[in-house]
Amino acid sequence: MKSFIALVVLVCLSFISKAQCFEIESILVDACTPGTLNCSNAGVATCNCEGKNEMIRFKIGNTPLNVSNLSINWPNNSFQGISPVNATTTGYVNAINSTIVNCGFLLQPVAGVLPANKRVLLISSTDFCSSANSFANLTDTLIVIFQNAGNYQGHFANFGSGTRTLSMSFSSPSGCSDAVTYDRALLIMQNGTIGNQDGAAVEYSPSGTPTYVNYGCQAPFVPLVIDAGPNKTICVGGVQTLTASTSNAYTFVNWSLSTGATGSFSPTNSLTTTYTPGAGDNGTIELYCSLTKICGTQTITTKDSVNLTVLQTPQPVLSTTSNSVCVGQPATLSYSLNNASSTGTTSVVWLPSNATTPTISVNTANIYTIQVTNSCGVGSETISIGSFPNPTVNITANGPTQFCAGGSVILTANSNTGNYMWSTGATTQTISVNTSTIVTVTSTNSCSSAQYVQSVSVTPLPTVSVTPSTTGLCAGQSVVLQANSNTTVTYTWSTSANTNTISVNAPGNYIIDVSNNCGNASATATVTNTGSAPSISASSNPTVLCSGQTATLSLSGSTGTYSWSNGATTSTTTVSNAGVYTATVTNSCGTGTTSISISALPTPTISVSPSTVIVCNGQPEIITATSNQSNFNWSTGAITNTISVTTSGVKSVSVSNACGIAVASVTVSQNTLPVLNLSASSLTICPNGIATLTVTGGSVPYAWSNTTNTGSVVTSSGGVVTVSNSNSCGTATASITVNVNPVNASISASPNHGVKPVTINFTNNSTGGTSYFWDFGNGNSTNTQNVSPQTYTEEGNYTVYLIVTNGLCVDTDSLIITVYNEYPGITIPNVFTPNGDSANDVFKITGYNIVEFNCVIFDRWGLQMYSSSDITKGWDGKSNGKDVTDGNYFYLINAKDIDGIEIKKQGPLLLIR
């Protein structure tokens, strides 16, 4: 990163040095041709002078330069050097000066020295056609120099596509150079529209930004330029000094007002003036400075504007969310400006807190002041904030808040606000309460509210009941009696127990007494004798089930309510499944339980595998029986679950038990391995020829080594071809060999591409041939084995063929020769203007025969702005979707052309919006 920053600094320094040394101001791209002329170098009556009449205007910096040190890199053609002052150049200059009717004049350099701060006009040839361009309206004195003759084609490129760059440098002082770029597609005609017409020119700003102009067939002139200076501000009642600047000579200057401005200038006829705002000046007004230059009968005027913002002292207005604050409830203070549109940038401070935010929060009573400051003074506003106390409240009673049913209590609220809201809905200071409840009273003011809660409890007269009040008791059992009261009481049973529940195991009457401080109550429970618990047993007929049978289950013993595990509710039930069945009988004293087990015998099943059995050539096969029984009985006399068979016929097996018998059988057949015979239509073929192979014996489908499954196949590759056929007894295979007569056509070229004209050497790499025929695609052919080099003079793709034969077989090979119109290369612009006007909005690199490409662009701090590997795309002046700022950027380019030659470029790039 350090090295890159140093490079950026060097680039910036080179820009500064260039600006101090000289600056290209304009180029005449599309020069005019007068038609029929006497061109001395051509020696003919007519000639085209456009390429000799192109012009460059540039301005020398603070140090004189010498033309002997000048070097030019034209977009087209080579630099021929600068001509010394001689009779030819002097004749041109004298002739031109005689035609000028305004204030302009042409001078030639003395001893090749270009004076400091002078403008120079460079004409592209001493073979200059002076009548093609009019100098009549020239308004400035220019130093004129000529390039030597000998380069008559255009030095630039007229209307079309792509960009062109002109660079100039002086070898002394070191680093003295400048370069400009224009887009051919943006050149304009004399009516101001884009198109192709004589007079197309480009003007450049000091930063190199192009402006496309067309003044027709007149020599480039220096436009009158004025800069009214930077925008400024002024306070009401003040004055402001304005200074305009120009690099041109002028006749007089004048300052003037725009619509709405009411002030005055002093003086009005100087580049520097003082402006005093008028009573009607408010906000931003526009002021103009005009230059006028009178040259003979011509008057030239230009003007520029400067914005002056008239500021007022701020006039703040305070506002608050509340004029009084409560404890824990602050007020918010904010402000606005009555004259916000005329104050410009302001700052604020709140007193006494010294806060600088637009709003503040205050929680104490005080006097608060806002001070708003701008460059013209301080405006202030004051507000007073008061405070309120928070409310308080409590409750007092005229007696106990806990009493017996039928009593009451008076509750009194006490508050510092004097207002009351009871939860009962009352708004008086006192209320009377005669029930158990929780009472709330609320007191409020503008700050908040306060609450007090009072509980009132009423003790009821006692009541009592017993659960159960009447119940039966079985032998050996006990029952729990529970007393239930409506309030908290003391319990006393006739058994002397003092709990609310007792357990008893004998019949009788049981009495409960309860009491509290408000009274007492009693209740009685009656317990009677109801008998003993039941007992039962179960039986079944039958106890073992076959498939489809049922069994009857019966109960004997105590009676009552019956319940079987299968859902039956009678003393008998019928079942069809094996298992354990449980039954219960229930009466008032309990439940009796019994169970019985029923078993099942399965119906015999049997199967055999495989289902189809084939015996091949007397070889034994195994048959297996599968059953839920184990007493196997085969028709062969075997009693195991498997048998081995070698003969055909039906083989059967059976199994049995008390519930029945099951039988299964399988048919055994015999088979033999297939026999195959393989034949070929030809046992020898040419490369890419075919032979038909046929098989007999066996049956479809067949399996060939070339994946076909029919009875015959073809082969074009020769070699060993195999076919096989399978049946239940196995696979049979047959093979045959087909030979290929070897002939192979093969050619190579060196090189296989190039720029026209290109000579290609061809090599015959064929094998097995005895005769040859070549077709080179350029109109030439031959029948020799080896050939001489071939020359291709036109751009295009040429297909070359070689046909080889050995008397029996023929083979052909071909390749393509590519001829290009020009050598690979890339063109890089050095400035673009992404301002959305569809003119030079994209920094785009053009290339020819480029196969690999990568471009990265950095800003002057070394941050990457853009990267692309597609030469057809360009940078639109954005990074992360946002426009970058104007200024200098740096590009790095790595590319490779079609011949594999690497191209590396780097340099500065200027972005102007």
Side-chain angles (χ1 to χ4, degrees):
M1 180 57 73
K2 290 181 179 178
S3 63
F4 178 74
I5 291 174
L7 178 58
V8 171
V9 171
L10 287 175
V11 171
C12 292
L13 289 177
S14 71
F15 288 159
I16 295 171
S17 174
K18 174 184 68 177
Q20 294 173 344
C21 181
F22 78 100
E23 176 186 302
I24 300 174
E25 293 185 329
S26 74
I27 54 177
L28 177 60
V29 174
D30 192 348
C32 293
T33 301
T36 302
L37 300 172
N38 182 10
C39 300
S40 60
N41 68 295
V44 295
T46 59
C47 66
N48 189 326
C49 293
E50 180 179 343
K52 310 165 190 176
N53 286 11
E54 294 158 332
M55 305 180 194
I56 306 168
R57 191 184 75 236
F58 59 96
K59 186 175 182 180
I60 307 300
N62 295 329
T63 303
L65 302 175
N66 197 295
V67 295
S68 62
N69 299 322
L70 174 60
S71 177
I72 302 177
N73 185 10
W74 299 99
N76 291 322
N77 294 318
S78 58
F79 180 51
Q80 302 296 314
I82 299 299
S83 170
V85 175
N86 54 36
T88 300
T89 62
T90 301
Y92 287 142
V93 171
N94 292 337
I96 291 172
N97 283 332
S98 67
T99 66
I100 299 174
V101 297
N102 285 304
C103 302
F105 198 73
L106 296 184
L107 294 174
Q108 295 189 86
V110 178
V113 175
L114 304 177
N117 301 312
K118 294 295 184 180
R119 284 187 169 89
V120 180
L121 183 65
L122 168 60
I123 299 175
S124 59
S125 177
T126 56
D127 234 357
F128 178 55
C129 300
S130 60
S131 62
N133 295 87
S134 172
F135 283 77
N137 293 320
L138 185 63
T139 60
D140 200 0
T141 297
L142 302 179
I143 307 298
V144 62
I145 58 177
F146 297 83
Q147 182 183 222
N148 284 321
N151 194 342
Y152 305 124
Q153 298 301 316
H155 299 77
F156 301 100
N158 297 345
F159 185 81
S161 61
T163 59
R164 291 293 187 267
T165 298
L166 166 71
S167 61
M168 300 172 57
S169 63
F170 287 84
S171 59
S172 176
S174 176
C176 180
S177 63
D178 194 12
V180 292
T181 297
Y182 67 93
D183 189 338
R184 298 174 58 193
L186 301 180
L187 294 174
I188 65 175
M189 298 191 295
Q190 295 170 18
N191 62 4
T193 61
I194 291 178
N196 184 20
Q197 189 176 14
D198 286 354
V202 188
E203 300 280 353
Y204 292 94
S205 68
S207 60
T209 302
T211 300
Y212 297 88
V213 298
N214 193 319
Y215 301 122
C217 292
Q218 60 177 328
F221 62 91
V222 181
L224 189 62
V225 176
I226 186 170
D227 182 356
N231 296 332
K232 294 188 176 183
T233 60
I234 187 173
C235 296
V236 172
V239 294
Q240 181 60 269
T241 299
L242 305 174
T243 301
S245 62
T246 181
S247 61
N248 303 83
Y250 60 91
T251 305
F252 55 85
V253 62
N254 180 63
W255 287 90
S256 60
L257 301 174
S258 66
T259 301
T262 61
S264 61
F265 298 97
S266 180
T268 61
N269 59 354
S270 173
L271 288 177
T272 300
T273 187
T274 299
Y275 181 73
T276 302
D281 289 354
N282 186 33
T284 299
I285 60 175
E286 194 170 27
L287 307 176
Y288 300 110
C289 185
S290 302
L291 282 186
T292 300
K293 184 175 183 178
I294 300 176
C295 295
T297 60
Q298 183 182 22
T299 299
I300 304 172
T301 300
T302 184
K303 71 177 181 178
D304 190 27
S305 64
V306 60
N307 289 333
L308 181 64
T309 302
V310 182
L311 300 180
Q312 298 177 351
T313 302
Q315 300 173 9
V317 177
L318 276 176
S319 60
T320 178
T321 57
S322 176
N323 288 318
S324 298
V325 292
C326 303
V327 177
Q329 299 181 19
T332 299
L333 304 184
S334 60
Y335 80 96
S336 61
L337 292 177
N338 276 338
N339 58 344
S341 63
S342 303
T343 59
T345 302
T346 61
S347 61
V348 301
V349 62
W350 294 87
L351 299 178
S353 65
N354 290 322
T356 58
T357 55
T359 63
I360 62 171
S361 180
V362 299
N363 53 21
T364 59
N366 207 338
I367 295 176
Y368 296 92
T369 300
I370 178 71
Q371 292 182 345
V372 183
T373 304
N374 69 358
S375 59
C376 294
V378 179
S380 64
E381 180 75 4
T382 299
I383 192 171
S384 178
I385 301 297
S387 64
F388 281 123
N390 285 338
T392 61
V393 68
N394 62 22
I395 296 175
T396 59
N398 69 339
T401 56
Q402 184 175 0
F403 48 85
C404 293
S408 64
V409 65
I410 301 297
L411 302 180
T412 301
N414 305 285
S415 173
N416 61 348
T417 66
N419 62 75
Y420 311 95
M421 175 57 70
W422 296 87
S423 56
T424 63
T427 59
T428 58
Q429 187 174 5
T430 62
I431 62 172
S432 177
V433 180
N434 59 9
T435 60
S436 294
T437 185
I438 296 176
V439 178
T440 301
V441 66
T442 302
S443 179
T444 63
N445 66 8
S446 60
C447 288
S448 63
S449 62
Q451 285 187 342
Y452 192 89
V453 179
Q454 177 65 56
S455 175
V456 176
S457 176
V458 177
T459 303
L461 297 176
T463 61
V464 69
S465 63
V466 180
T467 305
S469 59
T470 303
T471 186
L473 188 65
C474 296
Q477 294 182 343
S478 61
V479 64
V480 174
L481 304 178
Q482 178 174 313
N484 306 294
S485 180
N486 64 335
T487 186
T488 302
V489 295
T490 299
Y491 297 93
T492 303
W493 291 88
S494 56
T495 62
S496 300
N498 299 112
T499 59
N500 69 323
T501 63
I502 61 173
S503 178
V504 298
N505 55 14
N509 293 321
Y510 297 89
I511 302 171
I512 178 65
D513 289 318
V514 297
S515 62
N516 64 11
N517 59 349
C518 292
N520 55 61
S522 64
T524 300
T526 300
V527 179
T528 60
N529 189 356
T530 58
S532 59
S535 174
I536 55 173
S537 62
S539 61
S540 175
N541 182 30
T543 59
V544 177
L545 295 176
C546 290
S547 177
Q549 290 185 329
T550 62
T552 300
L553 309 182
S554 302
L555 293 176
S556 59
S558 300
T559 61
T561 300
Y562 299 101
S563 177
W564 289 89
S565 56
N566 67 348
T569 58
T570 58
S571 60
T572 63
T573 184
T574 300
V575 298
S576 57
N577 296 315
V580 176
Y581 294 88
T582 302
T584 62
V585 61
T586 302
N587 61 21
S588 59
C589 287
T591 299
T593 302
T594 188
S595 62
I596 188 170
S597 179
I598 306 298
S599 59
L601 190 64
T603 299
T605 62
I606 191 169
S607 63
V608 294
S609 62
S611 59
T612 300
V613 179
I614 298 175
V615 179
C616 297
N617 301 326
Q619 295 180 352
E621 296 290 336
I622 301 298
I623 303 174
T624 301
T626 303
S627 176
N628 60 352
Q629 305 297 315
S630 59
N631 55 343
F632 298 97
N633 184 14
W634 291 88
S635 57
T636 63
I639 57 175
T640 59
N641 71 316
T642 62
I643 62 173
S644 176
V645 297
T646 58
T647 60
S648 60
V650 177
K651 314 297 179 183
S652 62
V653 61
S654 64
V655 293
S656 62
N657 65 9
C659 289
I661 185 170
V663 180
S665 63
V666 61
T667 299
V668 179
S669 59
Q670 289 185 327
N671 203 353
T672 60
L673 193 68
V675 177
L676 303 179
N677 295 307
L678 182 59
S679 61
S681 61
S682 175
L683 294 178
T684 300
I685 61 176
C686 295
N688 301 317
I690 60 172
T692 301
L693 308 180
T694 304
V695 64
T696 59
S699 62
V700 176
Y702 297 94
W704 294 84
S705 56
N706 63 356
T707 72
T708 305
N709 60 4
T710 59
S712 64
V713 299
V714 296
T715 179
S716 61
S717 58
V720 178
V721 181
T722 302
V723 64
S724 60
N725 191 233
S726 301
N727 64 12
S728 59
C729 289
T731 300
T733 301
S735 299
I736 194 169
T737 299
V738 177
N739 297 311
V740 178
N741 191 318
V743 58
N744 177 56
S746 174
I747 57 176
S748 60
S750 177
N752 60 7
H753 66 277
V755 177
K756 69 177 186 181
V758 61
T759 299
I760 308 297
N761 294 306
F762 294 97
T763 302
N764 188 343
N765 304 308
S766 305
T767 59
T770 58
S771 63
Y772 308 88
F773 176 77
W774 294 79
D775 183 347
F776 299 104
N778 61 352
N780 296 336
S781 62
T782 184
N783 57 5
T784 60
Q785 181 174 2
N786 298 312
V787 296
S788 60
Q790 296 292 312
T791 299
Y792 297 83
T793 59
E794 296 297 330
E795 179 184 16
N797 293 319
Y798 298 86
T799 303
V800 179
Y801 295 95
L802 172 61
I803 302 174
V804 181
T805 179
N806 61 3
L808 176 64
C809 299
V810 178
D811 193 23
T812 302
D813 190 20
S814 65
L815 55 77
I816 295 176
I817 303 299
T818 301
V819 180
Y820 307 116
N821 195 43
E822 61 180 284
Y823 284 100
I826 60 175
T827 302
I828 308 168
N830 63 358
V831 64
F832 76 119
T833 58
N835 53 14
D837 64 354
S838 300
N840 198 25
D841 278 341
V842 178
F843 171 72
K844 189 172 182 181
I845 297 165
T846 56
Y848 185 79
N849 288 337
I850 301 299
V851 296
E852 293 182 14
F853 175 80
N854 179 258
C855 174
V856 183
I857 298 176
F858 303 91
D859 67 7
R860 60 177 179 163
W861 308 115
L863 298 178
Q864 181 173 315
M865 299 287 101
Y866 170 78
S867 177
S868 176
S869 296
D870 187 347
I871 197 171
T872 65
K873 296 181 178 179
W875 184 36
D876 60 0
K878 297 180 184 292
S879 179
N880 296 322
K882 296 181 178 180
D883 288 341
V884 302
T885 59
D886 288 16
N888 294 311
Y889 294 83
F890 191 80
Y891 62 82
L892 296 175
I893 296 174
N894 290 296
K896 185 179 289 186
D897 66 21
I898 196 167
D899 293 320
I901 297 175
E902 292 187 350
I903 301 173
K904 295 182 180 290
K905 300 286 185 179
Q906 64 182 32
L909 165 65
L910 180 61
L911 185 154
I912 302 173
R913 295 193 186 280

Coordinates of all heavy atoms in Angstrom, one line a residue, residues 747-788:
I747 N -2.7 -33.5 -40.8 CA -1.9 -32.3 -41.2 C -1.8 -31.4 -40.0 O -2.6 -31.4 -39.1 CB -2.5 -31.6 -42.4 CG1 -3.9 -31.1 -42.1 CG2 -2.4 -32.4 -43.7 CD1 -4.5 -30.3 -43.2
S748 N -0.7 -30.5 -40.0 CA -0.5 -29.5 -39.0 C 0.1 -28.3 -39.7 O 0.6 -28.4 -40.8 CB 0.5 -29.9 -37.9 OG 1.7 -30.3 -38.4
A749 N -0.1 -27.1 -39.1 CA 0.3 -25.8 -39.7 C 1.0 -25.0 -38.7 O 0.8 -25.0 -37.5 CB -0.9 -25.0 -40.2
S750 N 2.0 -24.2 -39.2 CA 2.8 -23.3 -38.3 C 3.1 -22.0 -39.1 O 3.8 -22.1 -40.1 CB 4.1 -24.0 -37.9 OG 4.9 -23.1 -37.1
P751 N 2.6 -20.9 -38.6 CA 1.6 -20.7 -37.6 C 0.2 -21.1 -38.2 O 0.1 -21.3 -39.4 CB 1.7 -19.2 -37.2 CG 2.1 -18.6 -38.5 CD 3.0 -19.5 -39.2
N752 N -0.8 -21.1 -37.3 CA -2.2 -21.3 -37.8 C -3.0 -20.0 -37.9 O -4.2 -20.1 -38.1 CB -2.9 -22.4 -37.0 CG -3.0 -21.9 -35.5 OD1 -2.7 -20.8 -35.2 ND2 -3.5 -22.9 -34.7
H753 N -2.4 -18.8 -37.6 CA -3.0 -17.6 -37.7 C -2.0 -16.5 -37.8 O -0.8 -16.7 -37.5 CB -4.0 -17.3 -36.5 CG -3.2 -17.1 -35.2 ND1 -2.8 -18.2 -34.4 CD2 -2.8 -16.0 -34.6 CE1 -2.2 -17.7 -33.4 NE2 -2.2 -16.4 -33.5
G754 N -2.5 -15.3 -38.2 CA -1.6 -14.1 -38.3 C -2.2 -12.9 -38.9 O -3.4 -13.0 -39.4
V755 N -1.5 -11.8 -39.0 CA -2.0 -10.6 -39.7 C -1.6 -10.6 -41.1 O -0.5 -10.9 -41.5 CB -1.4 -9.3 -38.9 CG1 -1.9 -8.1 -39.6 CG2 -1.9 -9.3 -37.5
K756 N -2.6 -10.2 -42.0 CA -2.3 -10.3 -43.4 C -1.2 -9.4 -43.8 O -1.0 -8.3 -43.2 CB -3.6 -9.9 -44.2 CG -4.0 -8.4 -44.0 CD -5.2 -8.1 -44.8 CE -5.5 -6.6 -44.8 NZ -6.7 -6.2 -45.5
P757 N -0.3 -9.7 -44.9 CA -0.3 -11.1 -45.4 C 0.5 -12.0 -44.5 O 1.4 -11.6 -43.9 CB 0.4 -10.9 -46.8 CG 1.3 -9.7 -46.5 CD 0.6 -8.8 -45.5
V758 N 0.1 -13.3 -44.4 CA 0.8 -14.2 -43.6 C 1.1 -15.5 -44.4 O 0.3 -15.9 -45.2 CB -0.1 -14.6 -42.4 CG1 -1.4 -15.2 -42.8 CG2 0.6 -15.5 -41.4
T759 N 2.3 -16.0 -44.2 CA 2.8 -17.3 -44.8 C 2.7 -18.4 -43.9 O 3.2 -18.3 -42.7 CB 4.2 -17.1 -45.4 OG1 4.2 -16.0 -46.3 CG2 4.7 -18.3 -46.1
I760 N 2.1 -19.6 -44.3 CA 1.9 -20.7 -43.5 C 2.7 -21.9 -44.0 O 2.7 -22.2 -45.2 CB 0.4 -21.1 -43.4 CG1 -0.5 -19.8 -43.0 CG2 0.1 -22.2 -42.4 CD1 -0.2 -19.3 -41.7
N761 N 3.4 -22.6 -43.1 CA 4.0 -23.9 -43.4 C 3.2 -25.0 -43.0 O 2.7 -25.1 -41.9 CB 5.4 -24.0 -42.7 CG 6.4 -22.9 -43.2 OD1 6.6 -22.8 -44.4 ND2 6.9 -22.1 -42.3
F762 N 3.0 -26.0 -43.9 CA 2.1 -27.2 -43.7 C 3.0 -28.4 -43.6 O 3.9 -28.6 -44.4 CB 1.1 -27.4 -44.7 CG 0.1 -26.2 -44.8 CD1 0.2 -25.2 -45.7 CD2 -1.0 -26.2 -43.9 CE1 -0.7 -24.1 -45.7 CE2 -1.9 -25.2 -43.9 CZ -1.8 -24.1 -44.8
T763 N 2.6 -29.4 -42.7 CA 3.4 -30.6 -42.5 C 2.4 -31.8 -42.7 O 1.3 -31.8 -42.1 CB 4.0 -30.7 -41.1 OG1 4.9 -29.6 -40.9 CG2 4.8 -32.0 -40.9
N764 N 2.8 -32.8 -43.5 CA 1.9 -34.0 -43.7 C 2.3 -35.0 -42.7 O 3.4 -35.6 -42.7 CB 2.2 -34.5 -45.2 CG 1.2 -35.6 -45.5 OD1 0.6 -36.2 -44.6 ND2 1.1 -35.9 -46.8
N765 N 1.5 -35.3 -41.7 CA 1.7 -36.3 -40.7 C 0.9 -37.6 -41.0 O 0.8 -38.4 -40.0 CB 1.3 -35.7 -39.3 CG 2.0 -34.4 -39.0 OD1 3.2 -34.4 -39.1 ND2 1.2 -33.4 -38.7
S766 N 0.5 -37.8 -42.2 CA -0.4 -39.0 -42.5 C 0.4 -40.3 -42.5 O 1.7 -40.3 -42.7 CB -1.0 -38.8 -43.9 OG -1.7 -37.6 -43.9
T767 N -0.2 -41.4 -42.3 CA 0.4 -42.8 -42.3 C -0.5 -43.7 -43.2 O -1.7 -43.5 -43.3 CB 0.5 -43.4 -40.9 OG1 -0.8 -43.4 -40.3 CG2 1.4 -42.5 -40.0
G768 N 0.2 -44.7 -43.9 CA -0.5 -45.7 -44.6 C -1.0 -45.3 -46.0 O -1.7 -46.0 -46.7
G769 N -0.6 -44.0 -46.5 CA -1.1 -43.6 -47.8 C -0.1 -43.8 -48.9 O 1.1 -43.9 -48.7
T770 N -0.6 -43.9 -50.1 CA 0.3 -44.0 -51.3 C 0.0 -42.8 -52.2 O 0.9 -42.6 -53.1 CB 0.0 -45.3 -52.0 OG1 -1.4 -45.3 -52.4 CG2 0.3 -46.5 -51.1
S771 N -1.1 -42.0 -52.1 CA -1.3 -40.8 -53.0 C -2.0 -39.8 -52.1 O -2.7 -40.1 -51.1 CB -2.1 -41.2 -54.2 OG -3.4 -41.7 -53.8
Y772 N -1.8 -38.5 -52.5 CA -2.3 -37.4 -51.7 C -2.9 -36.3 -52.6 O -2.5 -36.1 -53.7 CB -1.1 -36.8 -50.9 CG -0.4 -37.8 -50.1 CD1 0.7 -38.5 -50.7 CD2 -0.7 -38.1 -48.8 CE1 1.4 -39.5 -50.0 CE2 0.0 -39.1 -48.1 CZ 1.0 -39.7 -48.7 OH 1.7 -40.7 -48.0
F773 N -3.9 -35.5 -52.0 CA -4.5 -34.4 -52.7 C -4.7 -33.3 -51.6 O -5.4 -33.5 -50.6 CB -5.8 -34.7 -53.4 CG -6.4 -33.4 -54.0 CD1 -5.9 -32.9 -55.2 CD2 -7.5 -32.8 -53.3 CE1 -6.5 -31.8 -55.7 CE2 -8.0 -31.6 -53.9 CZ -7.5 -31.1 -55.1
W774 N -4.1 -32.0 -51.9 CA -4.2 -30.9 -51.0 C -5.1 -29.8 -51.6 O -5.1 -29.5 -52.8 CB -2.9 -30.2 -50.7 CG -1.9 -31.0 -50.0 CD1 -1.1 -32.0 -50.5 CD2 -1.5 -30.9 -48.6 NE1 -0.3 -32.6 -49.5 CE2 -0.5 -31.9 -48.3 CE3 -1.9 -30.1 -47.6 CZ2 0.1 -32.0 -47.1 CZ3 -1.3 -30.2 -46.3 CH2 -0.4 -31.2 -46.1
D775 N -6.0 -29.2 -50.7 CA -6.7 -28.0 -51.1 C -6.5 -26.9 -50.0 O -6.9 -27.2 -48.8 CB -8.2 -28.3 -51.2 CG -9.0 -27.1 -51.7 OD1 -8.5 -25.9 -51.7 OD2 -10.2 -27.2 -52.0
F776 N -5.8 -25.8 -50.4 CA -5.4 -24.8 -49.3 C -6.4 -23.8 -49.0 O -6.1 -22.9 -48.2 CB -4.0 -24.2 -49.8 CG -2.9 -25.2 -49.9 CD1 -2.5 -25.6 -51.2 CD2 -2.3 -25.8 -48.8 CE1 -1.5 -26.5 -51.4 CE2 -1.3 -26.7 -49.0 CZ -0.9 -27.1 -50.2
G777 N -7.5 -23.7 -49.7 CA -8.6 -22.8 -49.4 C -8.3 -21.4 -49.9 O -9.2 -20.5 -49.8
N778 N -7.1 -21.1 -50.5 CA -6.8 -19.8 -51.1 C -6.8 -19.8 -52.6 O -6.2 -19.0 -53.2 CB -5.4 -19.3 -50.5 CG -4.3 -20.3 -50.9 OD1 -4.6 -21.4 -51.5 ND2 -3.1 -19.9 -50.6
G779 N -7.4 -20.9 -53.1 CA -7.4 -21.1 -54.6 C -6.3 -22.0 -55.1 O -6.3 -22.4 -56.3
N780 N -5.4 -22.4 -54.2 CA -4.2 -23.3 -54.6 C -4.5 -24.7 -54.2 O -5.2 -25.0 -53.2 CB -2.9 -22.8 -54.0 CG -2.5 -21.5 -54.5 OD1 -2.9 -21.0 -55.6 ND2 -1.8 -20.7 -53.7
S781 N -4.0 -25.7 -55.0 CA -4.1 -27.2 -54.6 C -2.9 -27.9 -55.2 O -2.2 -27.4 -56.2 CB -5.4 -27.8 -55.2 OG -5.5 -27.7 -56.6
T782 N -2.6 -29.1 -54.7 CA -1.5 -29.9 -55.2 C -1.8 -31.4 -54.9 O -2.6 -31.7 -54.0 CB -0.2 -29.5 -54.7 OG1 0.9 -30.2 -55.2 CG2 -0.1 -29.6 -53.1
N783 N -1.0 -32.4 -55.6 CA -1.2 -33.8 -55.3 C 0.1 -34.4 -54.8 O 0.3 -35.6 -55.0 CB -1.8 -34.5 -56.5 CG -0.9 -34.4 -57.7 OD1 0.2 -33.8 -57.6 ND2 -1.3 -34.9 -58.8
T784 N 1.0 -33.6 -54.2 CA 2.3 -34.1 -53.7 C 2.2 -34.4 -52.2 O 1.3 -34.0 -51.6 CB 3.4 -33.1 -53.9 OG1 3.1 -31.9 -53.2 CG2 3.6 -32.7 -55.4
Q785 N 3.1 -35.3 -51.8 CA 3.0 -35.7 -50.3 C 3.4 -34.5 -49.4 O 2.7 -34.2 -48.4 CB 4.0 -36.9 -50.1 CG 3.9 -37.3 -48.6 CD 4.8 -38.6 -48.4 OE1 5.4 -39.1 -49.3 NE2 4.8 -39.1 -47.2
N786 N 4.5 -33.8 -49.8 CA 4.9 -32.6 -49.0 C 4.7 -31.4 -49.9 O 4.9 -31.4 -51.1 CB 6.4 -32.7 -48.6 CG 6.6 -33.9 -47.7 OD1 5.9 -34.1 -46.8 ND2 7.6 -34.8 -48.1
V787 N 4.4 -30.2 -49.3 CA 4.0 -29.0 -50.0 C 4.8 -27.8 -49.6 O 5.4 -27.8 -48.5 CB 2.5 -28.7 -49.8 CG1 1.6 -29.8 -50.4 CG2 2.2 -28.5 -48.3
S788 N 4.9 -26.8 -50.4 CA 5.6 -25.6 -50.1 C 4.7 -24.6 -49.3 O 3.5 -24.8 -49.3 CB 6.0 -24.9 -51.5 OG 4.8 -24.6 -52.2

